[in-house]
Amino acid sequence: MKIKLKNNALHIYREEHTDIHGNFLGEDYWEDILSRISGRELQVNTDELFKHEFTVLAEKGVLEESIRIPEEYVDTIIDDERHKKARCYFCNKVSESVLKCPHCKRKDYLEPFFDEDNYL
């Protein structure tokens, strides 16, 4: 599974972190990262899936460490592996089932990644 970031991801970050007086309140660290990865395709860690965020893997010469990217910076999701899966907010694991978590055996803490999977 991969994501392609928007070409203007850095611009979006700057807008989100600038107050009404034009003062930038963001972090140089994130500006640096987003300047390097905007518009790029990045590999997603499928062991750590979330509904509205993506943990991208470190990539030599691009990212020194894995980071989490909010979906508003994502242009395209390639080979999305979240369909018919859910995140269990009791044991904090990804479940291959939307009916019952195979890890903790609970069903009331599962949140499917897609609303349409809620009715399987």
Side-chain angles (χ1 to χ4, degrees):
M1 175 174 172
K2 291 183 176 185
I3 58 170
K4 182 178 186 307
L5 270 71
K6 292 178 180 177
N7 290 327
N8 66 342
L10 176 58
H11 178 75
I12 294 168
Y13 177 79
R14 285 180 178 153
E15 279 188 344
E16 288 177 340
H17 293 86
T18 301
D19 68 14
I20 59 171
H21 304 293
N23 299 313
F24 179 67
L25 306 170
E27 297 180 29
D28 294 342
Y29 172 79
W30 287 109
E31 274 195 305
D32 178 51
I33 287 175
L34 288 169
S35 70
R36 286 185 275 131
I37 65 174
S38 289
R40 293 186 74 116
E41 281 186 15
L42 300 169
Q43 190 70 40
V44 174
N45 180 352
T46 56
D47 293 332
E48 198 174 307
L49 295 172
F50 298 92
K51 192 169 188 170
H52 301 291
E53 298 176 322
F54 302 90
T55 302
V56 295
L57 299 171
E59 186 178 319
K60 190 174 182 170
V62 180
L63 284 173
E64 296 85 40
E65 60 189 356
S66 294
I67 60 169
R68 200 169 297 164
I69 303 289
E71 73 178 347
E72 67 253 24
Y73 298 157
V74 176
D75 183 44
T76 308
I77 302 167
I78 303 159
D79 297 327
D80 198 338
E81 294 184 20
R82 299 173 299 159
H83 288 283
K84 298 183 180 153
K85 293 181 183 179
R87 182 156 193 89
C88 178
Y89 285 96
F90 183 79
C91 69
N92 211 25
K93 302 230 186 232
V94 173
S95 171
E96 297 286 329
S97 167
V98 296
L99 303 175
K100 186 176 183 182
C101 179
H103 307 284
C104 68
K105 310 299 185 224
R106 301 232 180 194
K107 61 181 179 183
D108 50 337
Y109 288 89
L110 284 178
E111 183 179 347
F113 291 112
F114 298 96
D115 291 339
E116 61 267 17
D117 291 343
N118 222 1
Y119 305 103
L120 294 176

